Amino acid sequence: MEAIGRLTGGIAHDFKNTMTGIIGYARMLMTILDEHDPHYLPISEISRAGERSGTLTKQLLAFGRRQLLRAGRAHGQLLSLVFVLLEYHTA
């Protein structure tokens, strides 16, 4: 579970970095082009789609954190069980 959480976090981080470049270049082109240019609308759609991808990134990061938390809780529960068994065995 922990590995899945770390993998998801890594993918989200790389995805965010890629989308930052796409959004940045789209915005740069939008400042260069006139609003009546036939390329302006498609480029503005690219920018908006990139901004919406932020939601996906947040969901991936939240999923990754949940997996890491679950793994941490499972480890804690396992350690508690080990301590109980050791106490019982040594008593």
Side-chain angles (χ1 to χ4, degrees):
M1 236 189 280
E2 184 176 345
I4 292 171
R6 290 189 190 285
L7 176 65
T8 304
I11 290 170
H13 179 75
D14 290 346
F15 183 70
K16 181 181 179 201
N17 288 343
T18 301
M19 293 312 299
T20 299
I22 292 170
I23 294 167
Y25 278 112
R27 287 182 182 170
M28 183 180 66
L29 286 171
M30 288 170 61
T31 62
I32 295 170
L33 297 175
D34 181 64
E35 288 184 21
H36 302 292
D37 186 296
H39 297 103
Y40 187 87
L41 184 61
I43 291 171
S44 69
E45 288 299 319
I46 291 169
S47 178
R48 279 195 284 278
E51 290 169 5
R52 286 191 305 269
S53 73
T55 302
L56 175 60
T57 303
K58 289 176 186 171
Q59 290 171 341
L60 284 169
L61 288 170
F63 176 80
R65 281 192 294 270
R66 278 195 305 271
Q67 295 307 310
L68 288 171
L69 288 175
R70 285 185 187 154
R73 268 191 239 127
H75 288 241
Q77 290 170 346
L78 180 60
L79 284 175
S80 295
L81 178 61
V82 167
F83 285 129
V84 167
L85 290 174
L86 284 172
E87 251 179 52
Y88 177 76
H89 182 61
T90 55

